Amino acid sequence: NAGVTQTPKFRVLKTGQSMTLLCAQDMNHEYMYWYRQDPGMGLRLIHYSVGEGTTAKGEVPDGYNVSRLKKQNFLLGLESAAPSQTSVYFCASSTPGLAGTQYFGPGTRLTVL
Amino acid sequence: AQSVSQHNHHVILSEAASLELGCNYSYGGTVNLFWYVQYPGQHLQLLLKYFSGDPLVKGIKGFEAEFIKSKFSFNLRKPSVQWSDTAEYFCAVRDTDKLIFGTGTRLQVFP
């Protein structure tokens, strides 16, 4: 039981490049989330999904897109990376009845030059 | 929408000292409250949670938190900290299907 996994762990991009971050969970959770963590700002929700085929915007969605084609996967895309998107990205999942009890992945450290 | 405030940004303690980290949320009604911990270089883990019932909640590693509805607070406490408690602590409140996190409190414990 791997829990929540994220790919890749580290990535360096140049401004304007695109990339996709993959989150996978094997706990059969309905809900999945993408956060970014920046010093002094805590965790901010980018997008989330309450089920396969659904997505919703969080607090800071601009510049990001997401897809939830399969229940176990939640993809976060950056179409044209900007230095302001340099951050640590965390994925999390939970069940509907316990939406606050989230299980987090190990994070992806992204640097945009 | 809900919001969460953590007023202590950085706390430095010696081992065996007592700890209290403040957390306030923005409005009342039924609330679900959480404390998460992030050890250096690791992902967030749940410390404890309050859904209903006894306002004094006990979590892992000797931590506890008290829900005080009249003060909109959910402060985290530990009677005697250890060096291994060095970490960042996040308070969070549930807002329908998602969590709203505070900005975090960095705790450093020195031997």
Side-chain angles (χ1 to χ4, degrees):
Chain A
N1 200 351
V4 180
T5 58
Q6 293 182 231
T7 310
K9 290 186 169 49
F10 303 94
R11 186 72 186 268
V12 178
L13 291 178
K14 294 181 180 178
T15 297
Q17 287 185 317
S18 63
M19 77 163 295
T20 300
L21 282 68
L22 171 63
C23 176
Q25 53 94 4
D26 62 3
M27 296 175 283
N28 203 33
H29 285 169
E30 289 291 333
Y31 291 6
M32 296 186 75
Y33 308 83
W34 275 108
Y35 296 90
R36 59 177 291 172
Q37 183 179 28
D38 303 289
M41 306 196 72
L43 270 79
R44 293 180 293 169
L45 183 64
I46 304 171
H47 287 282
Y48 65 104
S49 168
V50 298
E52 183 178 321
T54 72
T55 63
K57 293 181 180 180
E59 184 185 356
V60 288
D62 294 341
Y64 305 95
N65 57 73
V66 287
S67 65
R68 182 98 182 269
L69 298 179
K70 293 182 179 180
K71 185 177 182 179
Q72 63 269 32
N73 296 338
F74 195 30
L75 281 69
L76 178 71
L78 286 72
E79 290 185 347
S80 179
S84 60
Q85 294 178 304
T86 293
S87 187
V88 180
Y89 291 85
F90 287 99
C91 177
S93 69
S94 71
T95 57
L98 296 170
T101 309
Q102 296 183 7
Y103 296 83
F104 282 81
T108 295
R109 184 173 294 275
L110 174 66
T111 302
V112 183
L113 302 175
Chain B
Q2 276 279 12
S3 64
V4 174
S5 297
Q6 291 182 248
H7 304 294
N8 314 106
H9 298 296
H10 190 190
V11 174
I12 301 172
L13 294 173
S14 298
E15 273 191 322
S18 64
L19 170 72
E20 181 160 3
L21 301 182
C23 173
N24 290 92
Y25 59 96
S26 58
Y27 66 80
T30 302
V31 287
N32 301 152
L33 294 157
F34 306 81
W35 277 97
Y36 280 83
V37 61
Q38 185 178 31
Y39 297 104
Q42 296 188 26
H43 60 281
L44 273 76
Q45 304 169 45
L46 181 67
L47 258 185
L48 49 80
K49 61 188 176 187
Y50 172 79
F51 274 50
S52 64
D54 189 343
L56 186 61
V57 180
K58 295 195 184 299
I60 61 172
K61 305 188 179 187
F63 286 91
E64 64 179 30
E66 186 174 12
F67 170 58
I68 303 180
K69 192 172 183 177
S70 61
K71 294 186 179 179
F72 296 86
S73 71
F74 190 56
N75 291 356
L76 182 70
R77 300 195 293 246
K78 187 170 184 178
S80 176
V81 295
Q82 300 172 322
W83 175 80
S84 58
D85 293 324
T86 293
E88 191 151 17
Y89 293 81
F90 294 92
C91 182
V93 62
R94 179 177 173 178
D95 184 5
T96 57
D97 296 323
K98 55 190 185 293
L99 282 180
I100 307 299
F101 282 89
T103 53
T105 297
R106 185 176 169 216
L107 172 65
Q108 281 185 290
V109 180
F110 289 95

